[in-house]
């Protein structure tokens, strides 16, 4: 997991080096997410990188009935991870990333619940790693890592340290 998270750090470093325009003009989260996905794609050769991807092969990515996780569509059925690193055809799910701008004042619970569900090994669409990133104008203000359906405190601390070492976080 460290290798994959190091690739995410490299993508964030390149993203911040190239995309200050987005923050200077306070562009929306979807524009920010797309540009970050471009940098992630550069780091994950051989993998598909998509934004708002709600499929598992030909099936729509849906949460099981009775789940506590809210969904992203009006019908309450589908979820759309901000960025995913996966193999579309196999399917093989490596990394799900939820992105928030620091100016977003909505509580993070929806994204946290989504990452718990997306990494839950008991669900058929489990991602190996989930990451919640809150992006400020010049650095990552908060980050959380999820594995096996739970917040991974040790890996979150390690990742925060890598971000700090890379100059991408105040720490």
């Amino acid at each position: 997991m460290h290798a994959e998270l190091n690739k995410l750090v490299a993508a964030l470093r390149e993203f911040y080096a190239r995309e200050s325009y987005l923050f200077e003009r306070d562009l929306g989260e979807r524009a920010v997410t797309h540009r970050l996905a471009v940098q992630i794609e550069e780091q994950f050769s051989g993998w598909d990188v998509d934004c708002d991807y709600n499929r598992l092969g030909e099936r729509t990515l849906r949460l099981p009935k009775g789940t506590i996780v809210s969904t992203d569509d009006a019908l309450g059925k589908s979820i759309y991870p901000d960025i995913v690193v996966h193999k579309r055809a196999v399917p093989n799910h490596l990394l799900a990333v939820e992105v928030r701008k620091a100016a977003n004042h909505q509580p993070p619970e929806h994204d946290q619940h989504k990452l718990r569900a997306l990494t839950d090994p008991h669900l058929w669409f489990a991602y190996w790693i989930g990451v919640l990133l809150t992006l400020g104008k010049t650095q990552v203000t908060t980050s959380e890592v999820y594995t096996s359906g739970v917040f991974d405190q040790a890996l979150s601390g390690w990742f925060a340290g890598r971000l700090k070492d890379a100059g991408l976080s105040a720490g």
Side-chain angles (χ1 to χ4, degrees):
M1 287 187 208
H2 290 162
E4 288 75 17
L5 291 173
N6 276 326
K7 289 179 181 182
L8 184 56
V9 170
L12 284 160
R13 183 182 308 116
E14 195 63 28
F15 168 78
Y16 274 110
R18 293 176 179 241
E19 302 297 346
S20 61
Y21 181 93
L22 302 174
F23 293 101
E24 290 166 4
R25 287 160 182 80
D26 196 27
L27 293 174
E29 257 179 39
R30 286 186 182 184
V32 169
T33 299
H34 167 71
R35 296 308 304 164
L36 177 57
V38 168
Q39 298 307 320
I40 290 172
E41 188 169 43
E42 291 293 319
Q43 296 297 319
F44 286 89
S45 177
W47 290 88
D48 299 305
V49 177
D50 292 301
C51 293
D52 291 334
Y53 195 83
N54 73 331
R55 298 283 184 207
L56 177 66
E58 296 300 316
R59 299 171 63 182
T60 300
L61 187 61
R62 298 175 190 254
L63 294 173
K65 291 184 189 249
T67 182
I68 62 165
V69 179
S70 60
T71 60
D72 292 330
D73 68 356
L75 300 175
K77 295 181 179 179
S78 300
I79 56 171
Y80 301 84
D82 288 338
I83 303 169
V84 293
V85 178
H86 62 149
K87 302 276 184 168
R88 292 183 197 124
V90 175
N92 184 1
H93 295 101
L94 179 62
L95 174 66
V97 180
E98 287 296 313
V99 176
R100 300 170 54 84
K101 286 176 54 182
N104 182 342
H105 297 295
Q106 297 297 320
E109 283 82 13
H110 174 72
D111 292 328
Q112 292 166 330
H113 287 308
K114 193 188 310 185
L115 288 168
R116 282 187 195 101
L118 287 168
T119 60
D120 186 338
H122 299 101
L123 301 180
W124 49 267
F125 52 80
Y127 283 79
W128 195 38
I129 309 166
V131 178
L132 175 59
L133 297 170
T134 304
L135 303 180
K137 290 183 179 188
T138 60
Q139 63 186 9
V140 177
T141 60
T142 62
S143 63
E144 297 176 2
V145 178
Y146 292 80
T147 58
S148 300
V150 297
F151 170 71
D152 189 320
Q153 188 168 356
L155 206 49
S156 292
W158 181 88
F159 184 62
R162 291 291 299 126
L163 290 170
K164 184 177 180 184
D165 292 346
L168 296 169
S169 156

